[in-house]
Each structure stands twice: as structure tokens, then as C-alpha cells.
Amino acid sequence: MDVAQVRAELEGDRAWRQDELRFFQNCSAKFENEKEQQQFSRALVLLLYAHFEGFCKFAFILYINEVNKIGLTCGSANSSLAASSLNDVFRALRDPAQKCSVFRKPLPDDTKLHRFARDREFVERSATIMERPLLIPEDVVDTESNLKPVVLRKNLYRLGLKHDQFEDLEGEINRLLEYRNKIAHGAAKDGIDKQTYETLSAATAEIMTQIAINIMEALQNRTYIRGNEVFASTS
């Protein structure tokens, strides 16, 4: 693994997004009329959210791809990554249409029995299953319709990364989403004032920076390996 290359990719993606946002923010300062500045900032909020979501998704998928290259087995990976890699196994385990071949004809509708049969098969094959190569699918990363704080937490949790560290910034992210949705639906026609935009921008920049740091720490400290997991605080 070339950790320096990963750092360069993270920093490169974050930098061009921040540069673009800074460019348009500087453009808004050229408007002498405060109302025009606020109208411009209204559009800038949409771009801010797009870059926030875009960077998070880029960073998470980059992390997945790097971990997949290492050559771990599911049994040697941390619990979150192993569970993400074995999603197809658990999906089959929960599928009520999967029936035990022994009782398929005499007891075709015995739901409890067929569920037990799937559980039994899992136990029988668990050692083999855990020897499967760790291959985390990219669709484990799911920003859903909006990258709300709880959605960000879910993605971090599925990847075995610290998922409770942005509590202090969640209010600003919720506010960003509120503005973004109102603007997209034709509301917030009066624009966004400078102070509000700068507060939202600072919150997203902090999260993007910290996510990059967390991914680098995970790769350097090998927290993707079972026993090295990062646990959320219980406070």
C-alpha cells in the first residue's frame, strides 16, 4: 500500500473542491449590493453541499479500494469491514424464500424451520466463509437522498471508522441540508447572508479534513484488522 499516494489523492480531491468554493465565494464579494451577494450565496450553498457529499463519497470509496487491495480474509478483518464484505451471505440468510432442501416438499411453508436450516448452514460453513477474501463492495457507501448527520454516521460505522466524532457539527450540517432543500424546492428566495454561509462552509471543511485524517490513521494504524478496531466513545 502506498500511503503517501492515498494521502495525495485525498488532499488533491479536497483541495480542488475548496479552491472552487473559494473562487465563487470571492466572486460574490464583487457584488456591491448586499441583496445580490445573498442571492449569489444562495446558489453557492448548493455547490457547498455537492462538494461536501462528493468528497465524503470519494474518500470512503478510496478507503474501500485500498483495503480491498491488501489481501485480507473476512476472518482477519475488523468486524465492520467483514460484515460489509459478507453482505451477500447475510442477505441470503435473511431471505425467507431460501428453503432447506430436506424439507422443501414435505414442509414447504414452515417458516421457522427453514430459517433454522439457513442458520444451521451458516454455522456449518462459517469457518469457510470467514476464509473468503475481503472484498467490500462500493455500494456499501450510501449517501441516500441526503448526507444527513445520521447517514454520515452510518457510513462511517459500516467502514469501521469513528462514527460519533462530529456531534458538535451536526447542527450545522442539518442547517446546510435545510437550506439546500429549501433552495432546491424554490424556497429561501431571499438569499443567504455572508455569516451564515461562512459558518456552514467552516463546518463542512472541518468534517472533510477530519475524514481525510481518519482514513489516513486507519491505514497507518491498520485498524482494518480484527483486534485493532476503532470504538466509538460511550459518553
Side-chain angles (χ1 to χ4, degrees), residues 108-120:
D109 299 319
D110 194 326
T111 303
K112 290 183 178 180
L113 180 74
H114 291 299
R115 184 171 63 236
F116 172 79
R118 294 194 301 273
D119 293 347
R120 174 183 163 175

Side-chain angles (χ1 to χ4, degrees), residues 49-57 60 141-156 173-174 176-177 180 207 211:
Y49 173 79
H51 279 316
F52 170 64
E53 179 180 314
F55 175 80
C56 291
K57 189 168 186 177
F60 294 152
V141 177
D142 185 4
T143 56
E144 301 182 19
S145 57
N146 291 302
L147 188 56
K148 297 178 286 190
V150 68
V151 176
L152 180 60
R153 284 193 187 209
K154 288 193 289 184
N155 280 280
L156 291 165
I173 299 306
N174 278 323
L176 171 63
L177 281 165
R180 178 252 194 181
I207 292 176
I211 283 175

Side-chain angles (χ1 to χ4, degrees), residues 218-230:
L219 295 175
Q220 292 169 332
N221 298 331
R222 301 176 55 170
T223 59
Y224 46 79
I225 293 177
R226 184 179 295 272
N228 293 348
E229 288 93 337
V230 176

Side-chain angles (χ1 to χ4, degrees), residues 122-172:
F122 177 80
V123 172
E124 289 175 342
R125 297 177 55 198
S126 60
T128 301
I129 289 171
M130 297 309 286
E131 287 302 313
R132 276 179 38 169
L134 183 78
L135 291 173
I136 310 158
E138 289 189 1
D139 62 8
V140 164
V141 177
D142 185 4
T143 56
E144 301 182 19
S145 57
N146 291 302
L147 188 56
K148 297 178 286 190
V150 68
V151 176
L152 180 60
R153 284 193 187 209
K154 288 193 289 184
N155 280 280
L156 291 165
Y157 181 72
R158 282 193 288 263
L159 297 181
L161 300 170
K162 300 174 186 176
H163 61 273
D164 65 344
Q165 61 182 311
F166 300 124
E167 292 180 353
D168 293 343
L169 298 172
E170 288 184 352
E172 298 305 330

Side-chain angles (χ1 to χ4, degrees), residues 26-233:
N26 290 338
C27 288
S28 69
K30 296 177 181 178
F31 292 104
E32 296 182 1
N33 186 297
E34 184 177 354
K35 184 176 181 180
E36 291 178 339
Q37 286 184 347
Q38 292 181 358
Q39 291 282 353
F40 195 89
S41 293
R42 187 167 69 96
L44 197 50
V45 163
L46 299 178
L47 185 62
L48 177 64
Y49 173 79
H51 279 316
F52 170 64
E53 179 180 314
F55 175 80
C56 291
K57 189 168 186 177
F58 170 84
F60 294 152
I61 290 177
L62 178 63
Y63 179 63
I64 285 174
N65 290 336
E66 289 303 313
V67 172
N68 283 343
K69 293 176 186 177
I70 296 170
L72 298 174
T73 63
C74 290
S76 62
N78 73 39
S79 301
S80 292
L81 296 179
S84 294
S85 181
L86 293 172
N87 183 55
D88 61 319
V89 173
F90 296 122
R91 186 168 57 246
L93 193 64
R94 293 188 289 264
D95 184 0
Q98 296 284 335
K99 297 183 177 180
C100 174
S101 59
V102 176
F103 297 100
R104 186 180 297 275
K105 289 184 179 180
L107 296 171
D109 299 319
D110 194 326
T111 303
K112 290 183 178 180
L113 180 74
H114 291 299
R115 184 171 63 236
F116 172 79
R118 294 194 301 273
D119 293 347
R120 174 183 163 175
E121 182 182 8
F122 177 80
V123 172
E124 289 175 342
R125 297 177 55 198
S126 60
T128 301
I129 289 171
M130 297 309 286
E131 287 302 313
R132 276 179 38 169
L134 183 78
L135 291 173
I136 310 158
E138 289 189 1
D139 62 8
V140 164
V141 177
D142 185 4
T143 56
E144 301 182 19
S145 57
N146 291 302
L147 188 56
K148 297 178 286 190
V150 68
V151 176
L152 180 60
R153 284 193 187 209
K154 288 193 289 184
N155 280 280
L156 291 165
Y157 181 72
R158 282 193 288 263
L159 297 181
L161 300 170
K162 300 174 186 176
H163 61 273
D164 65 344
Q165 61 182 311
F166 300 124
E167 292 180 353
D168 293 343
L169 298 172
E170 288 184 352
E172 298 305 330
I173 299 306
N174 278 323
R175 194 153 68 121
L176 171 63
L177 281 165
E178 183 181 356
Y179 278 120
R180 178 252 194 181
N181 291 335
K182 283 183 177 180
I183 293 167
H185 297 148
K189 295 179 181 179
D190 293 334
I192 307 294
D193 64 81
K194 180 181 178 182
Q195 183 176 356
T196 297
Y197 174 80
E198 289 180 347
T199 300
L200 299 177
S201 178
T204 59
E206 175 63 23
I207 292 176
M208 291 161 65
T209 298
Q210 194 57 51
I211 283 175
I213 292 172
N214 291 346
I215 287 174
M216 292 308 305
E217 289 179 345
L219 295 175
Q220 292 169 332
N221 298 331
R222 301 176 55 170
T223 59
Y224 46 79
I225 293 177
R226 184 179 295 272
N228 293 348
E229 288 93 337
V230 176
F231 295 99
S233 66

